Amino acid sequence: MGAIPTQRETTSRAPDAPAHHGADPRTTMRATLSGSPLAPGSARGLVRAALQEWTELALPGAEHLTVRLADDAMVVVSELVTNAVVHAGTDVELVCRLEDDRSVVVEVADHHPSRAPRDNSSEPAYETPEFGRGLRLVATLAESWGVTYRTGTKTVWARLPAEGSPVAEELETYAGERGLRVAEILAPEPQRAERDRDWLGRGALSFLAEASDLLAGQLDEDLVAALAGQLIVPRLADWCAVWLEDEVMGRWGSPRSSGAESGGGWSEDAGAGPRLARVWHGSENRIEELRGALEKHPPRPQDSLRPVSYPWPADALGPHGTHGAALAYRLIAGGRPLGTLVIGRSGLPCFPDEVTGLVEDLSRRVALAIGAARQYARQVTISRVLQRGLLPGAVAEIPGVHSALVYEPCDKGGPSGDFYDLFPAGDGRWCFALGDVQGKGPEAAVVIGLARPWLRLLAREGYRVADVLDRLNQLLLDDATEAADAAAHALVAAGGMPGPVGDGPRFLSLLYGELVPFDGGVRCTLASAGHPLPLLLGPDGSVATTARPQTLLGVIEDVTYTSETFELHPGDSLLCVTDGVTERRSGSVQFDDGDGLATALAGCAGLSAELIAERIKRLVHEFGGRPPEDDMALLVLQAE
């Protein structure tokens, strides 16, 4: 009888190569998953559906797909995808393939840049670092497994033998040994404490460092809770639950001073309880059962940073897991209670001190991540309210003119530096503005909060275009900005907005104009103060600049601005943009290099204002490989 393959053995065929040239394409399932906490569950669902489809189609080899094999595949794909999410954080490429030797191959690839080799050569699995103790599960359940490197991609693969195959028969001979090995990993026993100490001694610091990196990048508290469960189960516990306390609830009930139970002092005080945000279990089909049991007994812990005992939810774990240890960790950040983290392991009267200490360290990081996510959520809410106040509620409809607007702030969590306006000024006049403030956040809000109301006020008072810019320039240089600075400082100090507020000058680039419709067209008067110049598109595809460059607002005192007047005839279109369009980068090249914007606009001849705006926006997005890194606003005005 041959030896059982180990993880150091590789097959003669590369794991990502087809079984044979005439392989049925229906025997391969491929999917791309986002590197989020939802990826493992999605992967399990896809693999389960693929196995079921192969069986229903009666594909060659599918008759050997059994429930045991499906269960093993669920465990393997869950572990591989979880490792990819935790250690790489990139999109995950999943492949599941039924091969002609009746085995099932699972491949999970990530694109972690630091894992890419220097060339296109493959590295054998035994030369790769250990990615996590959970891969012992893969080594136990798989016929063979390994890691393949390509440029920019790391693929971890595992081959699962179907029942009835020669390798599977050899493995079944060692069924007792195999079952014990799986039990050692999934269920605690006396030897598990020794393995805990061994793993913690060599991998605890790396585990905490990677956990900190992963949690720090999350801006949603529910995702933080989900990641906490994936980090803990099954590495440190058999199950895990995270309760979150809404901030409006205040503090939970206080524990009884003299009648606290010896198990940690749970309070029986009435009041609103926490929200059970996430539940994880080493066996996915027991999650809902565990959730139901835990919801009956929400935690009422002391306001303590130390873990306390938690009642074991025996009714949720069945006859083979009715005894075990559970601990509750209070999640506190900045002195505020945020929730409770509970872990449980069956078969042990108590947790080893090494595990308790490591989870305690992890719970602090989870609490900080939840606190940061809530702070970000507050900032987003305040920013959205502030942004609504800085921008017009509606864009005015101008007789004889079609208008189209694109407005895309880069930072969804703070006020944009770009702003726009289109409003009636009285006496048959309509005014429009497109501006870009130096900086973002509170500083941008200060300038926009000054500029936009003053533009409307001066326009309605009958000031000419050039005069409006003169007065706005003086306003930005005047002491009136000090009051706005004080308001911005107060907002940051109160925690409503991120980042410091400077005390330097307030620069503003602005394109401001006035429209007066008449029979046969629209008379337009405009001026540009340090702003990208507007472009006029004729029906024949000709493109011309309609203004001249002038100094930014808020830079030079006593500067005198001038304006230009021209007519928009039927079919003419005026394009106004911020520098988020002209300075969109692709490497060292900008979108407007070589008159790129004028060329793009010339290709829009004959289109409506809406289609021109959409096409320019699409071309700007497609110009670079990455999403835009600056705010973008563009306005199209087209004479009917």
Side-chain angles (χ1 to χ4, degrees), residues 533-545:
L533 300 180
L535 298 177
L536 180 62
L537 171 66
D540 58 354
S542 61
V543 177
T545 302

Side-chain angles (χ1 to χ4, degrees), residues 575-601:
L575 173 65
C576 312
V577 302
T578 60
D579 61 8
V581 173
T582 56
E583 297 179 4
R584 167 75 159 129
R585 303 190 70 88
S586 178
S588 61
V589 182
Q590 294 185 352
F591 183 77
D592 199 31
D593 287 350
D595 292 329
L597 180 58
T599 302
L601 182 60

Side-chain angles (χ1 to χ4, degrees), residues 107-128:
E107 302 171 17
V108 174
D110 64 63
H111 306 282
H112 195 296
S114 66
R115 306 279 172 91
R118 296 180 179 178
D119 52 35
N120 291 330
S121 60
S122 298
E123 299 181 15
Y126 57 82
E127 294 181 358
T128 62

Side-chain angles (χ1 to χ4, degrees), residues 417-419 432-437 508-513 526-536 544-553 564 574-584 590-592 597-598 616 630-635:
D418 290 3
F419 72 96
F432 64 93
L434 202 60
D436 187 0
V437 179
L508 168 64
S509 75
L510 180 67
L511 180 66
Y512 173 68
L526 56 76
S528 174
H531 201 81
L533 300 180
L535 298 177
L536 180 62
T545 302
T546 59
R548 65 181 184 88
Q550 299 180 80
T551 306
L552 284 165
L553 297 174
E564 283 77 34
L574 184 68
L575 173 65
C576 312
V577 302
T578 60
D579 61 8
V581 173
T582 56
E583 297 179 4
R584 167 75 159 129
Q590 294 185 352
F591 183 77
D592 199 31
L597 180 58
I616 298 298
D630 195 5
D631 305 323
M632 180 174 66
L634 63 91
L635 175 66

Side-chain angles (χ1 to χ4, degrees), residues 197-209 358:
R197 288 189 292 270
D198 178 63
W199 181 81
L200 293 171
R202 294 186 293 109
L205 291 179
S206 175
F207 171 79
L208 288 175
L358 182 59

Side-chain angles (χ1 to χ4, degrees), residues 199-387:
W199 181 81
L200 293 171
R202 294 186 293 109
L205 291 179
S206 175
F207 171 79
L208 288 175
E210 293 183 354
S212 297
D213 290 341
L214 184 64
L215 294 171
Q218 304 304 323
L219 299 177
D220 181 274
E221 61 181 80
D222 287 314
L223 288 180
V224 173
L227 287 171
Q230 290 193 24
L231 287 167
I232 292 173
V233 178
R235 294 168 179 83
L236 300 173
D238 295 327
W239 57 267
C240 171
V242 178
W243 277 266
L244 293 178
E245 175 187 351
D246 294 334
E247 292 182 296
V248 296
M249 289 166 46
R251 304 176 70 83
W252 286 337
S254 301
R256 289 171 290 182
S257 57
S258 59
E261 299 175 2
S262 59
W266 302 101
S267 168
E268 302 297 335
D269 295 345
R275 168 174 63 92
L276 185 55
R278 286 286 175 174
V279 176
W280 286 93
H281 195 289
S283 176
E284 185 180 5
N285 59 4
R286 305 177 82 174
I287 290 178
E288 292 305 317
E289 182 184 7
L290 176 61
R291 174 183 290 275
L294 294 174
E295 286 178 339
K296 299 176 182 177
H297 307 287
R300 301 286 191 198
Q302 301 179 32
D303 291 336
S304 170
L305 294 175
R306 301 296 300 175
V308 294
S309 297
Y310 180 84
W312 181 259
D315 55 338
L317 300 179
H320 301 294
T322 55
H323 300 287
L327 287 177
Y329 295 78
R330 195 77 164 104
L331 300 176
I332 299 177
R336 296 182 177 181
L338 305 178
T340 302
L341 169 69
V342 178
I343 61 172
R345 274 186 17 181
S346 60
L348 289 180
C350 64
F351 274 88
D353 291 340
E354 296 83 359
V355 173
T356 302
L358 182 59
V359 178
E360 187 174 351
D361 287 340
L362 178 62
S363 68
R364 295 192 185 101
R365 289 162 170 79
V366 171
L368 291 173
I370 292 174
R374 291 188 173 183
Q375 176 71 6
Y376 176 80
R378 287 193 295 269
Q379 294 170 358
V380 169
T381 300
I382 293 174
S383 297
R384 287 174 178 170
V385 173
L386 181 59
Q387 191 75 54

